[in-house]
Every structure is written in C-alpha cells, then in structure tokens.
Amino acid sequence: MHDLLPAVKHPSDCQLLFARKARGLAHLRRWNGACDVSVAQHCVMACDNVSQRAAPYALIHDIEEDETGDLLTPVKQKMRELGIWHRFEAEIVLPIRKSYTELAGLNWPWPADVVAEVASIDQRLQVTEYRDAVDLGLVRGFVPRSVAPLLEYLLPWSPQKAEVQFLDRAGRLFPAWEG
C-alpha cells in the first residue's frame, strides 16, 4: 500500500523562505496601504513586463518590503534630503536583497542593464497603479513621473492569487530552484 503513494518532494529551506516572503508581500498593500495592489502582485507584474534575463530580478526587486514596509516616494525623497536614505539602503535594504538574490541563484550585484530595466518597469507600474488603483485622498506629495503607464487597466489581485503567482514565477525563474 505504501508503494502506491506518490513520492512527496519536500521543499528546500530556500523555497520555504521564499514562500514566507511571498505570503508577507501578498498581504502588504502598495502605497503605504493607499492601494489595493499588493507588493507581490507588483513584483509579478514587473517580472512579466521585462526581458527574460531581467525577470527573476524584477520578481525580487522589492523583496525587503515585508520587513521595511512600502515606503512612499516622497518619504524616500525626504530621507535622501536628510541624508539618511543611503545608510538605510546600505544597512537594511541591500543586505536583504543580496541574501534573497543569492538564495535564488542569481548574480550579486545585479548587472547594470538589469538594474536599469527593472527601474524602468518599476516607474511604469508606479504610474499605472497611481492611475488605476491608488486612493488619491490618501496620498500626498506624489507627483507622477512623465513615464507612460501600461496600456491595460490594472485590477488588484487577491492576496492568495498574488502569493501563488509570485511562487509560480520563482519556481520557473530561479536557478537555485531548478526551474
């Protein structure tokens, strides 16, 4: 009877860590909560709108936000003006991002062309979210960039869908997952 049971593949520690991240990011709303799009959905959409080379990096470009929160652009700008953003980024953001980049089996530091491509889609998604899904009454100080939004209307996903889609992309794209 035991021989008839299908073999169970146990997830690696790496996969479990990413599963926890996916769940956290799927329940974290963008724009400091002023938007129904989750960070996980945002990352999946970034992943789906860049080149194959940049896709796995785009998927994890905000991986630290379940620990730091999704800081609004005006907050980040004020932190830069106060001279504290560099230290925050160097001591908190980048070590988390480096750790998950390496767990995924990707190159650290990220290749410069990948950084540029991910930054570009991140800006397009930002203006798309602003256009379609942000409660403008809750956002102050944001001036949309002169970047073209995505053409299609953005509909927020459920946390469950965002989590599943995030893990699906990770399974297909991360070299460390034999995807």
Side-chain angles (χ1 to χ4, degrees):
M1 179 76 163
H2 186 280
D3 294 336
L4 298 176
L5 295 174
V8 176
K9 182 180 178 188
H10 295 284
S12 70
D13 289 342
C14 171
Q15 291 167 329
L16 290 173
L17 288 171
F18 272 102
R20 286 189 201 112
K21 281 289 186 185
R23 170 145 306 177
L25 296 173
H27 288 276
L28 179 63
R29 292 169 51 192
R30 297 250 314 141
W31 295 78
N32 200 27
C35 177
D36 288 332
V37 173
S38 70
V39 175
Q41 178 182 353
H42 169 83
C43 290
V44 170
M45 292 181 69
C47 170
D48 289 352
N49 283 282
V50 294
S51 68
Q52 185 175 1
R53 173 173 148 82
Y57 296 93
L59 186 64
I60 59 173
H61 81 277
D62 285 334
I63 196 78
E64 70 284 346
E65 289 188 2
D66 73 316
E67 296 178 49
T68 65
D70 180 41
L71 299 174
L72 293 172
T73 298
V75 172
K76 290 178 185 176
Q77 186 57 40
K78 185 53 112 174
M79 290 174 76
R80 286 182 185 99
E81 291 170 15
L82 295 171
I84 58 177
W85 174 256
H86 176 74
R87 186 166 178 196
F88 177 78
E89 185 177 45
E91 294 184 23
I92 297 173
V93 172
L94 293 179
I96 296 169
R97 203 174 287 172
K98 178 181 189 282
S99 173
Y100 281 88
T101 297
E102 291 172 346
L103 280 172
L106 301 170
N107 293 323
W108 183 266
W110 294 8
D113 61 317
V114 166
V115 171
E117 188 175 353
V118 171
S120 176
I121 192 59
D122 193 41
Q123 289 179 2
R124 289 192 68 201
L125 286 167
Q126 185 183 53
V127 296
T128 304
E129 291 162 0
Y130 187 78
R131 178 192 70 194
D132 298 342
V134 170
D135 181 341
L136 301 181
L138 298 176
V139 175
R140 292 189 180 97
F142 177 76
V143 178
R145 293 181 171 98
S146 58
V147 175
L150 299 179
L151 295 176
E152 57 277 354
Y153 185 82
L154 175 60
L155 291 172
W157 298 343
S158 70
Q160 294 79 13
K161 179 177 180 177
E163 181 180 349
V164 166
Q165 294 300 313
F166 186 97
L167 290 172
D168 170 72
R169 299 314 184 281
R172 289 192 281 133
L173 296 170
F174 291 168
W177 287 27
E178 304 171 356

